[in-house]
Amino acid sequence: MKELPGLQEEEGHHAETEEADEMALKKMQLIESISKKLSVLHEAQQDLQEDINANATLGCEVGGSLKNLCKPNEYDKFRTFIGDLEKVVNLLLSLSGRLARVESALSSEDPEPSIDEKMNLMEKKKQLSDQLEDAKELRAHVARREQMVLETVSRYLNEEQLQDYHHYVKMTSALIVEQRELEDKIRLGEEQLRCLRESV
């Protein structure tokens, strides 16, 4: 009868080992799954880069046509508008991302932020919300200028060139958004992978 406690200990130890093995296996499967996802995302990033290059080439063609057809000051307005469009889209994405991270930190319970941290985060949230509102006003301002530039270029471009112009302007902001989303997904995946590998 004296052997029983020893037996129970051994069984307990065996169960723990099995649990640890199962946990390690799950982590390895997760690492494999995230690695596969990341390689798909990296491929998508390469395809997207090709789209960005193609759109830039189209932009050069559209710009070249306008430079030859428009008055110099009208062409400058087009160039300035495209530059501002890129800047304001990037600004909106950057501020939205930072705001989302602050809100996520505020609602986090693991670890829960201290009172001081909460006050800092609330202050940061207010600041970013204000900046985001300003950025949205800027975007509305750029949209109004887009209309004015369109009215100008419509006088010079034929139907096909005008379609190219519309496509170029639309894709300029769409591709920036897509690029940022992909970068965020890749960064998140790499972060998860790093944490998992450190815990194995």
Side-chain angles (χ1 to χ4, degrees):
M1 290 299 280
K2 279 183 188 165
E3 288 171 18
L4 268 178
L7 254 178
Q8 282 169 338
E9 264 175 47
E10 208 174 291
E11 275 175 13
H13 180 66
H14 185 64
E16 273 173 33
T17 313
E18 257 183 24
E19 239 171 67
D21 287 348
E22 206 174 301
M23 192 68 167
L25 182 68
K26 274 189 181 152
K27 279 182 182 172
M28 293 310 287
Q29 285 169 339
L30 205 51
I31 285 173
E32 199 181 322
S33 159
I34 293 173
S35 299
K36 276 184 188 158
K37 260 187 208 152
L38 275 172
S39 101
V40 171
L41 287 171
H42 281 297
E43 273 174 38
Q45 203 174 29
Q46 282 173 334
D47 294 344
L48 181 64
Q49 195 51 55
E50 284 170 22
D51 292 346
I52 289 169
N53 295 344
N55 197 54
T57 305
L58 180 66
C60 288
E61 287 167 16
V62 169
S65 304
L66 288 172
K67 196 171 187 179
N68 294 331
L69 299 166
C70 292
K71 296 172 191 158
N73 70 320
E74 290 172 331
Y75 173 71
D76 286 345
K77 278 180 184 165
F78 158 73
R79 294 301 315 151
T80 308
F81 152 65
I82 291 295
D84 289 349
L85 176 67
E86 288 174 356
K87 278 182 209 145
V88 83
V89 171
N90 272 313
L91 179 65
L92 278 166
L93 288 170
S94 170
L95 289 169
S96 307
R98 283 166 63 195
L99 185 60
R101 284 195 290 278
V102 167
E103 284 172 344
S104 163
L106 264 172
S107 62
S108 170
E109 288 167 14
D110 179 33
E112 200 170 329
S114 67
I115 300 292
D116 278 354
E117 284 172 332
K118 246 186 184 154
M119 296 296 283
N120 277 338
L121 286 167
M122 295 290 282
E123 184 55 41
K124 209 177 249 181
K125 182 182 170 179
K126 187 190 177 314
Q127 212 176 358
L128 287 167
S129 300
D130 291 347
Q131 287 172 338
L132 193 58
E133 282 312 306
D134 292 345
K136 281 177 184 169
E137 277 177 32
L138 276 176
R139 179 72 184 92
H141 176 64
V142 170
R144 284 193 293 277
R145 276 184 30 225
E146 181 176 344
Q147 208 42 52
M148 284 154 68
V149 170
L150 177 62
E151 281 166 23
T152 304
V153 303
S154 300
R155 296 204 297 269
Y156 298 99
L157 301 177
N158 64 34
E159 195 54 48
E160 195 183 328
Q161 289 170 321
L162 201 54
Q163 275 182 343
D164 284 347
Y165 173 84
H166 278 298
H167 183 77
Y168 170 61
V169 171
K170 191 177 88 181
M171 291 313 286
T172 295
S173 46
L175 289 167
I176 292 172
V177 173
E178 207 175 319
Q179 189 178 29
R180 181 64 68 101
E181 281 175 359
L182 259 179
E183 281 169 3
D184 285 348
K185 282 179 187 169
I186 288 171
R187 197 167 40 241
L188 184 67
E190 284 171 350
E191 181 66 21
Q192 287 174 330
L193 209 51
R194 190 179 59 77
C195 292
L196 273 167
R197 282 186 174 142
E198 281 172 8
S199 73
V200 168

